Amino acid sequence: MPETLELLNSYRCFEGWQKQYRHPSATLHCNMTFSVYLPPQTNDGEKVPVVYWLSGLTCTDENFSTKAGAQRIAAELGLALVMPDTSPRGEGVPDADDQAYDLGLGAGFYLNATQAPWNRHYQMYDYITKELSALIEQTFPVTHQRAISGHSMGGHGALMIALRNPDQYASATAFSPIVNPTQCPWGENAFTHYLGNDKASWKIWDTTELITAGAEKLPVLIDQGSEDSFLEQQLLTENLISVCKTKQYSAEIRYQKGYDHSYYFIASFIEEHLRFHAHYFNA
């Protein structure tokens, strides 16, 4: 265990362990917190695959670990779960001047910012794909097999990261993802601040644009609630469905009748998502 990795909390859970750690991030230039669930298979040192979970706007590493109920099925399937925070935090890390929830702290959008003052700290893409994954694989009893999932802003991050790194992830799933952030208010606000006004540079951070450009195919499952209040203006699911049809990209995109944007929705279908990942780990 690296000396710089500080254990904050540890809980026995379904014969495995739910833990929370803090570490200094060289990528984000601040201390970062993440949670990890280690299933019972790791108690004797067995190595298991990892599913990374990326949370949405305003969330931390704890939302998923306390609300989704994922540990039971992860224990059964022998999957480690890694839950990073949604942005850099701490003294000196810039935040929205008006404390808006869709920019700054809690709203990293899983990209690499290029514009000041954001670019020193807001490098979440590199943090997730390089620094955190290396730390996890060097520290815990896990294999190099990875999958990725997320919700809302985190669903955007999960899909975008997997599409840009298909050799690193066996599969990707998402709940209520922001699938076309270059075309929605949340994304336009964040991308303008983080990336500048050149909208052509935004496309590499947009799932719909990546598939339009011919992204390599990998197994994708998306669940979207039909009663999600953000569906029409922010999530733009139909834009992705249209592009997948045009490009013959075989993502499984399901509308779930009556469900909204909440963790009640995630808890209802998380088992199916983890079984989806387990299937492709074993394929």
Side-chain angles (χ1 to χ4, degrees), residues 170-239:
S171 52
T173 71
F175 293 84
S176 312
I178 306 169
V179 298
N180 201 182
T182 60
Q183 302 300 318
C184 77
W186 279 341
E188 289 176 348
N189 182 46
F191 284 19
T192 299
H193 283 86
Y194 295 150
L195 303 172
N197 293 318
D198 179 11
K199 292 189 176 183
S201 70
W202 297 3
K203 292 183 178 182
I204 61 171
W205 309 107
D206 184 307
T207 295
T208 298
E209 293 289 350
L210 289 169
I211 292 178
T212 299
E216 183 177 329
K217 294 180 180 179
L218 78 162
V220 171
L221 170 64
I222 297 171
D223 275 322
Q224 173 60 56
S226 67
E227 302 306 309
D228 192 321
S229 61
F230 301 115
L231 177 57
E232 298 301 325
Q233 288 193 326
Q234 303 285 9
L235 307 180
L236 307 182
T237 306
E238 287 298 317
N239 291 10

Side-chain angles (χ1 to χ4, degrees), residues 236-262:
L236 307 182
T237 306
E238 287 298 317
N239 291 10
L240 180 61
I241 290 173
S242 176
V243 166
C244 286
K245 289 180 179 177
T246 300
K247 303 299 290 188
Q248 297 184 319
Y249 197 101
S250 57
E252 185 177 359
I253 304 174
R254 312 185 303 192
Y255 281 104
Q256 300 294 355
K257 186 176 181 180
Y259 286 90
D260 59 14
H261 200 73
S262 71

Side-chain angles (χ1 to χ4, degrees), residues 12 22 39 59 62 66 83 104 108 126 137-138 173 221 247:
R12 189 73 162 168
R22 179 166 55 216
C59 293
E62 294 185 281
T66 59
M83 296 140 273
D126 280 353
E137 291 171 9
Q138 292 166 6
T173 71
L221 170 64
K247 303 299 290 188

Side-chain angles (χ1 to χ4, degrees), residues 2-282:
E3 292 183 2
T4 56
L5 192 60
E6 178 187 1
L7 178 64
L8 301 178
N9 290 295
S10 181
Y11 306 100
R12 189 73 162 168
C13 184
F14 292 102
E15 303 304 316
W17 291 94
Q18 179 68 48
K19 296 175 180 284
Q20 184 185 47
Y21 292 91
R22 179 166 55 216
H23 75 108
S25 168
T27 303
L28 305 181
H29 300 100
C30 63
N31 287 328
M32 287 296 286
T33 300
F34 68 89
S35 293
V36 58
Y37 177 67
L38 299 172
Q41 292 83 352
T42 64
N43 291 341
D44 295 321
E46 179 182 339
K47 292 188 175 183
V48 298
V50 181
V51 177
Y52 288 82
W53 173 269
L54 307 185
S55 288
L57 291 167
T58 75
C59 293
T60 69
D61 60 294
E62 294 185 281
N63 290 75
F64 182 77
S65 67
T66 59
K67 295 180 179 180
Q71 292 91 343
R72 177 187 62 81
I73 191 64
E76 176 190 329
L77 298 173
L79 302 176
L81 305 174
V82 173
M83 296 140 273
D85 203 345
T86 54
S87 78
R89 297 182 195 269
E91 186 177 352
V93 176
D95 194 10
D97 291 338
D98 58 358
Q99 296 183 321
Y101 74 93
D102 59 345
L103 181 71
L105 302 185
F109 272 85
Y110 303 102
L111 49 71
N112 287 340
T114 60
Q115 305 299 302
W118 313 98
N119 54 339
R120 173 170 169 77
H121 296 283
Y122 285 76
Q123 303 289 313
M124 287 297 293
Y125 176 82
D126 280 353
Y127 175 70
I128 299 296
T129 61
K130 297 177 182 178
E131 184 178 15
L132 181 62
S133 58
L135 176 63
I136 295 298
E137 291 171 9
Q138 292 166 6
T139 306
F140 300 103
V142 300
T143 70
H144 294 294
Q145 287 183 294
R146 305 175 194 165
I148 192 164
S149 187
H151 171 233
S152 195
M153 178 187 72
H156 140 74
L159 297 172
M160 175 270 292
I161 285 172
L163 290 172
R164 291 187 59 176
N165 301 275
D167 57 328
Q168 294 185 34
Y169 299 92
S171 52
T173 71
F175 293 84
S176 312
I178 306 169
V179 298
N180 201 182
T182 60
Q183 302 300 318
C184 77
W186 279 341
E188 289 176 348
N189 182 46
F191 284 19
T192 299
H193 283 86
Y194 295 150
L195 303 172
N197 293 318
D198 179 11
K199 292 189 176 183
S201 70
W202 297 3
K203 292 183 178 182
I204 61 171
W205 309 107
D206 184 307
T207 295
T208 298
E209 293 289 350
L210 289 169
I211 292 178
T212 299
E216 183 177 329
K217 294 180 180 179
L218 78 162
V220 171
L221 170 64
I222 297 171
D223 275 322
Q224 173 60 56
S226 67
E227 302 306 309
D228 192 321
S229 61
F230 301 115
L231 177 57
E232 298 301 325
Q233 288 193 326
Q234 303 285 9
L235 307 180
L236 307 182
T237 306
E238 287 298 317
N239 291 10
L240 180 61
I241 290 173
S242 176
V243 166
C244 286
K245 289 180 179 177
T246 300
K247 303 299 290 188
Q248 297 184 319
Y249 197 101
S250 57
E252 185 177 359
I253 304 174
R254 312 185 303 192
Y255 281 104
Q256 300 294 355
K257 186 176 181 180
Y259 286 90
D260 59 14
H261 200 73
S262 71
Y263 264 83
Y264 294 108
F265 173 41
I266 296 169
S268 298
F269 295 96
I270 191 62
E271 178 171 344
E272 293 184 34
H273 284 234
L274 293 182
R275 290 193 183 278
F276 182 86
H277 293 307
H279 171 77
Y280 287 100
F281 282 142
N282 296 322

